[in-house]
Amino acid sequence: MQLPGSTDRAETEVTIPSLATSSKRSTMNRNQPWSLTLTNWLGFIPFALFCLLFEILPAVMVIEGSFTNSDTGAFTWNNYQRIFSQPSNLHAFQTSISLSLVTAVISTVLGFFAAYGLYQVRANWVRNIVVAFSSIAANFAGVPLAFAFISTLGVTGFVTVFLLNWFHIDLYHTLNFSVYSFWGLVLTYSYFELPLMILITLPALDALRPQWREAATSLGASNITYWFRIALPILFPSLIAAAMLLFANAFAAFATAYALAQGAINLVPILISFVVNGNVNIDTGLGDALAVGMIVILLVAFSLYTAMLRRVSRWQGK
């Protein structure tokens, strides 16, 4: 038999320690954030200063300079009007976008199949070697890469001479190929874009849960059905995000194209270099306007990249 009020006393005995514990925790939580916040901010300050000095302030100065007359320093819209009125400027954007899109699509498709083949390999040492090579090749660009392709596929390059002497195949006269042309740049850009795609795609393939394949197999789905109905729709946002990253990487590349083509191909980064360095005449206002155009295109690419990453984080449970 339970006496009246015994339940209340029991609840009170349980409640009082819990209230004491919660008050103790709240006191600790009130004291703890200050030290944690201070430590986090101390670690973040160097990065914030770097972004401010080398990214935000230069971008603000470029945007301001795009609305400034190079001769008088007055406010003007003429810099942007010349972008749309001069065919060479529009052609530079068209060529840069086309080059970046073609390179991104080729590298995305080939890189996905290469990453999938590497994903199926059971030997870890093979995967480690390919990942190590991809990490090096993805960062091998600029003048050294241009010189490597000139030495390999140039007019007197090793591969060019080898094909001509042994197989009587003339790349430049018979096949109309040139490493200094648009498709030569596509091939050169793919050298560092393809390994980058492999590095990006491997984590996405590793994130595919084995339970999904097991569930599909138990329901009678074949391997092709699993990939086209389950895996590829799940990986599609990751592939689009990777393609946008490759597009931005190729669109902003300068040293490789300049060293390889020497201005023969009209690209926006090369055009900005000519305008600012005075290849014809110095016009910093037009150069700033061209740079703002590049920023806008890159912002569109990174916006799509961020949107796709949000979709990826849903099925990954992050």
Side-chain angles (χ1 to χ4, degrees), residues 74 84 104 120 156 160 192 219 233 239 249 305 308:
F84 295 98
Q120 296 292 334
T156 58
T160 305
F192 60 84
L219 293 175
L239 297 179
N249 191 29
Y305 170 79
M308 292 297 103

Side-chain angles (χ1 to χ4, degrees), residues 52-67:
L52 177 64
L53 294 177
F54 296 99
E55 294 183 9
I56 299 177
L57 286 181
V60 172
M61 294 176 63
V62 167
I63 294 173
E64 180 184 1
S66 66
F67 294 100

Side-chain angles (χ1 to χ4, degrees), residues 228-267:
F228 279 94
R229 300 292 295 273
I230 299 174
L232 284 180
I234 291 175
L235 291 174
F236 184 74
S238 299
L239 297 179
I240 296 298
M244 289 299 99
L245 188 62
L246 297 180
F247 172 86
N249 191 29
F251 188 79
F254 166 72
T256 303
Y258 184 79
L260 191 64
Q262 291 293 328
I265 300 178
N266 191 17
L267 300 176

Side-chain angles (χ1 to χ4, degrees), residues 25-283:
R25 289 177 180 174
S26 63
T27 304
M28 293 176 61
N29 291 333
R30 282 197 300 268
N31 297 329
Q32 204 172 15
W34 289 100
S35 60
L36 290 178
T37 304
L38 181 60
T39 305
N40 293 337
W41 275 104
L42 286 177
F44 181 73
I45 285 175
F47 176 74
L49 289 176
F50 176 83
C51 293
L52 177 64
L53 294 177
F54 296 99
E55 294 183 9
I56 299 177
L57 286 181
V60 172
M61 294 176 63
V62 167
I63 294 173
E64 180 184 1
S66 66
F67 294 100
T68 304
N69 190 299
S70 302
D71 298 326
T72 62
F75 178 84
T76 181
W77 292 93
N78 187 41
N79 296 324
Y80 290 99
Q81 292 176 355
R82 283 187 292 168
I83 292 179
F84 295 98
S85 61
Q86 297 178 357
S88 60
N89 297 331
L90 293 177
H91 183 262
F93 277 99
Q94 180 183 358
T95 306
S96 295
I97 293 174
S98 301
L99 176 63
S100 303
L101 281 177
V102 171
T103 306
V105 170
I106 293 176
S107 301
T108 299
V109 174
L110 297 181
F112 171 75
F113 284 108
Y116 175 71
L118 191 61
Y119 170 74
Q120 296 292 334
V121 173
R122 300 297 181 182
N124 291 329
W125 64 272
V126 176
R127 180 168 181 168
N128 293 335
I129 291 176
V130 175
V131 169
F133 171 77
S134 299
S135 302
I136 297 174
N139 293 281
F140 184 68
V143 178
L145 179 62
F147 177 76
F149 268 84
I150 292 174
S151 301
T152 305
L153 292 172
V155 178
T156 58
F158 170 75
V159 175
T160 305
V161 175
F162 176 80
L163 292 177
L164 182 61
N165 293 336
W166 288 85
F167 300 98
H168 304 288
I169 298 176
D170 193 343
L171 293 178
Y172 282 79
H173 296 89
T174 304
L175 300 180
N176 293 324
F177 171 81
S178 176
V179 75
Y180 315 103
S181 63
F182 177 87
W183 291 106
L185 275 182
V186 169
L187 183 62
T188 307
Y189 278 24
S190 298
Y191 180 85
F192 60 84
E193 296 269 83
L194 183 59
L196 182 60
M197 181 62 190
I198 296 175
L199 295 176
I200 297 173
T201 309
L202 274 178
L205 291 172
D206 291 333
L208 290 176
R209 300 175 184 175
Q211 295 86 348
W212 296 340
R213 180 186 287 272
E214 294 173 359
T217 303
S218 63
L219 293 175
S222 62
N223 189 37
I224 298 177
T225 303
Y226 164 75
W227 276 102
F228 279 94
R229 300 292 295 273
I230 299 174
L232 284 180
I234 291 175
L235 291 174
F236 184 74
S238 299
L239 297 179
I240 296 298
M244 289 299 99
L245 188 62
L246 297 180
F247 172 86
N249 191 29
F251 188 79
F254 166 72
T256 303
Y258 184 79
L260 191 64
Q262 291 293 328
I265 300 178
N266 191 17
L267 300 176
V268 179
I270 296 178
L271 183 60
I272 293 175
S273 175
F274 287 164
V275 172
V276 174
N277 293 329
N279 185 54
V280 179
N281 58 350
I282 298 177
D283 194 346

